Structure formats: C-alpha cells, structure tokens
Tab-separated table of all heavy atoms in Angstrom:
chain	number	residue	atom	x	y	z
A	28	GLN	N	-2.515	15.274	-25.745
A	28	GLN	CA	-3.322	15.893	-24.693
A	28	GLN	C	-2.758	15.542	-23.311
A	28	GLN	O	-2.518	14.373	-23.006
A	28	GLN	CB	-4.774	15.420	-24.793
A	28	GLN	CG	-5.422	15.752	-26.135
A	28	GLN	CD	-6.845	15.258	-26.217
A	28	GLN	OE1	-7.691	15.591	-25.383
A	28	GLN	NE2	-7.137	14.449	-27.219
A	29	HIS	N	-2.587	16.569	-22.522
A	29	HIS	CA	-2.057	16.428	-21.158
A	29	HIS	C	-3.170	16.758	-20.179
A	29	HIS	O	-3.655	17.893	-20.128
A	29	HIS	CB	-0.870	17.374	-20.976
A	29	HIS	CG	-0.198	17.259	-19.647
A	29	HIS	ND1	0.557	18.279	-19.098
A	29	HIS	CD2	-0.155	16.247	-18.736
A	29	HIS	CE1	1.026	17.901	-17.931
A	29	HIS	NE2	0.600	16.676	-17.680
A	30	LEU	N	-3.586	15.754	-19.412
A	30	LEU	CA	-4.667	15.913	-18.429
A	30	LEU	C	-4.099	15.865	-17.017
A	30	LEU	O	-3.337	14.961	-16.668
A	30	LEU	CB	-5.703	14.797	-18.580
A	30	LEU	CG	-6.930	15.038	-19.462
A	30	LEU	CD1	-7.827	16.098	-18.860
A	30	LEU	CD2	-6.521	15.438	-20.860
A	31	ARG	N	-4.495	16.870	-16.239
A	31	ARG	CA	-4.164	16.876	-14.812
A	31	ARG	C	-5.439	17.175	-14.032
A	31	ARG	O	-6.066	18.219	-14.240
A	31	ARG	CB	-3.094	17.925	-14.506
A	31	ARG	CG	-1.708	17.572	-15.029
A	31	ARG	CD	-0.714	18.692	-14.797
A	31	ARG	NE	-1.018	19.858	-15.623
A	31	ARG	CZ	-0.463	21.058	-15.450
A	31	ARG	NH1	0.394	21.256	-14.462
A	31	ARG	NH2	-0.779	22.054	-16.250
A	32	LEU	N	-5.811	16.263	-13.187
A	32	LEU	CA	-6.997	16.414	-12.359
A	32	LEU	C	-6.609	16.285	-10.897
A	32	LEU	O	-5.825	15.407	-10.519
A	32	LEU	CB	-8.043	15.339	-12.697
A	32	LEU	CG	-8.536	15.271	-14.146
A	32	LEU	CD1	-9.516	14.114	-14.310
A	32	LEU	CD2	-9.175	16.584	-14.574
A	33	GLY	N	-7.160	17.177	-10.081
A	33	GLY	CA	-6.948	17.112	-8.642
A	33	GLY	C	-8.277	17.040	-7.919
A	33	GLY	O	-9.227	17.741	-8.292
A	34	ALA	N	-8.356	16.195	-6.876
A	34	ALA	CA	-9.620	16.004	-6.163
A	34	ALA	C	-9.355	15.780	-4.685
A	34	ALA	O	-8.232	15.457	-4.266
A	34	ALA	CB	-10.381	14.816	-6.751
A	35	ASP	N	-10.423	15.945	-3.883
A	35	ASP	CA	-10.331	15.574	-2.472
A	35	ASP	C	-10.658	14.085	-2.343
A	35	ASP	O	-11.077	13.431	-3.315
A	35	ASP	CB	-11.238	16.453	-1.617
A	35	ASP	CG	-12.722	16.280	-1.924
A	35	ASP	OD1	-13.123	15.224	-2.440
A	35	ASP	OD2	-13.499	17.218	-1.636
A	36	PRO	N	-10.510	13.502	-1.168
A	36	PRO	CA	-10.736	12.056	-1.026
A	36	PRO	C	-12.163	11.612	-1.327
A	36	PRO	O	-12.398	10.420	-1.588
A	36	PRO	CB	-10.371	11.790	0.443
A	36	PRO	CG	-9.415	12.881	0.792
A	36	PRO	CD	-9.901	14.080	0.050
A	37	THR	N	-13.120	12.531	-1.320
A	37	THR	CA	-14.494	12.155	-1.659
A	37	THR	C	-14.755	12.202	-3.158
A	37	THR	O	-15.867	11.885	-3.607
A	37	THR	CB	-15.495	13.078	-0.945
A	37	THR	OG1	-15.379	14.411	-1.471
A	37	THR	CG2	-15.258	13.086	0.563
A	38	GLY	N	-13.749	12.622	-3.917
A	38	GLY	CA	-13.883	12.621	-5.363
A	38	GLY	C	-14.298	13.941	-5.970
A	38	GLY	O	-14.475	14.019	-7.189
A	39	HIS	N	-14.477	14.971	-5.194
A	39	HIS	CA	-14.875	16.263	-5.748
A	39	HIS	C	-13.658	16.971	-6.342
A	39	HIS	O	-12.650	17.185	-5.657
A	39	HIS	CB	-15.534	17.122	-4.668
A	39	HIS	CG	-16.857	16.585	-4.223
A	39	HIS	ND1	-16.983	15.718	-3.152
A	39	HIS	CD2	-18.109	16.752	-4.720
A	39	HIS	CE1	-18.258	15.395	-2.995
A	39	HIS	NE2	-18.960	16.009	-3.937
A	40	LEU	N	-13.772	17.336	-7.601
A	40	LEU	CA	-12.658	17.953	-8.299
A	40	LEU	C	-12.386	19.352	-7.772
A	40	LEU	O	-13.307	20.150	-7.583
A	40	LEU	CB	-12.962	18.036	-9.797
A	40	LEU	CG	-12.975	16.710	-10.568
A	40	LEU	CD1	-13.562	16.917	-11.957
A	40	LEU	CD2	-11.570	16.128	-10.672
A	41	SER	N	-11.121	19.650	-7.580
A	41	SER	CA	-10.714	21.007	-7.205
A	41	SER	C	-9.868	21.656	-8.295
A	41	SER	O	-9.815	22.886	-8.389
A	41	SER	CB	-9.914	20.975	-5.901
A	41	SER	OG	-8.776	20.123	-6.034
A	42	ALA	N	-9.228	20.837	-9.128
A	42	ALA	CA	-8.358	21.364	-10.177
A	42	ALA	C	-8.586	20.565	-11.459
A	42	ALA	O	-8.532	19.336	-11.446
A	42	ALA	CB	-6.896	21.283	-9.758
A	43	VAL	N	-8.838	21.276	-12.546
A	43	VAL	CA	-9.083	20.649	-13.851
A	43	VAL	C	-8.134	21.293	-14.856
A	43	VAL	O	-8.268	22.474	-15.178
A	43	VAL	CB	-10.549	20.836	-14.304
A	43	VAL	CG1	-10.758	20.218	-15.683
A	43	VAL	CG2	-11.511	20.236	-13.281
A	44	GLY	N	-7.193	20.510	-15.344
A	44	GLY	CA	-6.225	21.018	-16.311
A	44	GLY	C	-6.209	20.171	-17.569
A	44	GLY	O	-6.117	18.941	-17.496
A	45	HIS	N	-6.304	20.811	-18.719
A	45	HIS	CA	-6.314	20.091	-19.998
A	45	HIS	C	-5.539	20.926	-21.014
A	45	HIS	O	-5.945	22.024	-21.367
A	45	HIS	CB	-7.754	19.883	-20.461
A	45	HIS	CG	-7.891	18.929	-21.621
A	45	HIS	ND1	-9.104	18.404	-22.015
A	45	HIS	CD2	-6.972	18.396	-22.481
A	45	HIS	CE1	-8.930	17.592	-23.047
A	45	HIS	NE2	-7.649	17.591	-23.349
A	46	ASP	N	-4.410	20.393	-21.459
A	46	ASP	CA	-3.594	21.044	-22.488
A	46	ASP	C	-3.584	20.172	-23.737
A	46	ASP	O	-3.386	18.957	-23.647
A	46	ASP	CB	-2.162	21.241	-21.993
A	46	ASP	CG	-2.076	22.261	-20.878
A	46	ASP	OD1	-2.412	23.429	-21.116
A	46	ASP	OD2	-1.688	21.881	-19.752
A	47	THR	N	-3.780	20.798	-24.887
A	47	THR	CA	-3.805	20.079	-26.158
A	47	THR	C	-2.827	20.703	-27.134
A	47	THR	O	-2.733	21.932	-27.231
A	47	THR	CB	-5.219	20.103	-26.771
A	47	THR	OG1	-6.103	19.354	-25.950
A	47	THR	CG2	-5.224	19.496	-28.164
A	48	TRP	N	-2.112	19.840	-27.863
A	48	TRP	CA	-1.283	20.271	-28.978
A	48	TRP	C	-1.803	19.606	-30.244
A	48	TRP	O	-2.090	18.405	-30.265
A	48	TRP	CB	0.176	19.873	-28.771
A	48	TRP	CG	0.851	20.632	-27.677
A	48	TRP	CD1	1.614	21.755	-27.795
A	48	TRP	CD2	0.828	20.308	-26.275
A	48	TRP	NE1	2.061	22.163	-26.551
A	48	TRP	CE2	1.598	21.287	-25.607
A	48	TRP	CE3	0.241	19.286	-25.523
A	48	TRP	CZ2	1.784	21.275	-24.236
A	48	TRP	CZ3	0.429	19.272	-24.153
A	48	TRP	CH2	1.192	20.259	-23.517
A	49	THR	N	-1.948	20.388	-31.287
A	49	THR	CA	-2.405	19.867	-32.568
A	49	THR	C	-1.765	20.678	-33.673
A	49	THR	O	-1.379	21.837	-33.454
A	49	THR	CB	-3.944	19.914	-32.654
A	49	THR	OG1	-4.388	19.282	-33.854
A	49	THR	CG2	-4.452	21.338	-32.622
A	50	GLY	N	-1.626	20.090	-34.869
A	50	GLY	CA	-0.939	20.774	-35.950
A	50	GLY	C	-1.761	20.836	-37.219
A	50	GLY	O	-2.678	20.046	-37.426
A	51	ASN	N	-1.415	21.794	-38.084
A	51	ASN	CA	-2.117	21.948	-39.355
A	51	ASN	C	-1.275	22.827	-40.270
A	51	ASN	O	-0.281	23.430	-39.845
A	51	ASN	CB	-3.497	22.575	-39.142
A	51	ASN	CG	-4.491	22.213	-40.231
A	51	ASN	OD1	-4.120	21.730	-41.291
A	51	ASN	ND2	-5.767	22.454	-39.967
A	52	LEU	N	-1.713	22.897	-41.519
A	52	LEU	CA	-1.123	23.868	-42.433
A	52	LEU	C	-1.382	25.282	-41.924
A	52	LEU	O	-2.350	25.507	-41.186
A	52	LEU	CB	-1.736	23.707	-43.824
A	52	LEU	CG	-1.400	22.422	-44.590
A	52	LEU	CD1	-2.338	22.261	-45.772
A	52	LEU	CD2	0.048	22.439	-45.060
C-alpha cells in the first residue's frame, strides 16, 4: 500500500492518495 497525504500547516487534508496492490488466483 502506497499512501500519500497532503495538508496545510493547520492539518487540514487537501490531497488523499491510496494505492493498493494485491494478488490472487
């Protein structure tokens, strides 16, 4: 899982990125 979060100095999120790789039959 690749997490990228971006926020302003007060902590309010402006960018939320979440990529997941998983495998199966």
Side-chain angles (χ1 to χ4, degrees):
Q28 301 179 56
H29 183 203
L30 266 293
R31 289 175 292 167
L32 302 177
D35 64 24
T37 67
H39 292 92
L40 290 168
S41 57
V43 178
H45 191 167
D46 292 298
T47 293
W48 290 265
T49 186
N51 206 345
L52 292 166

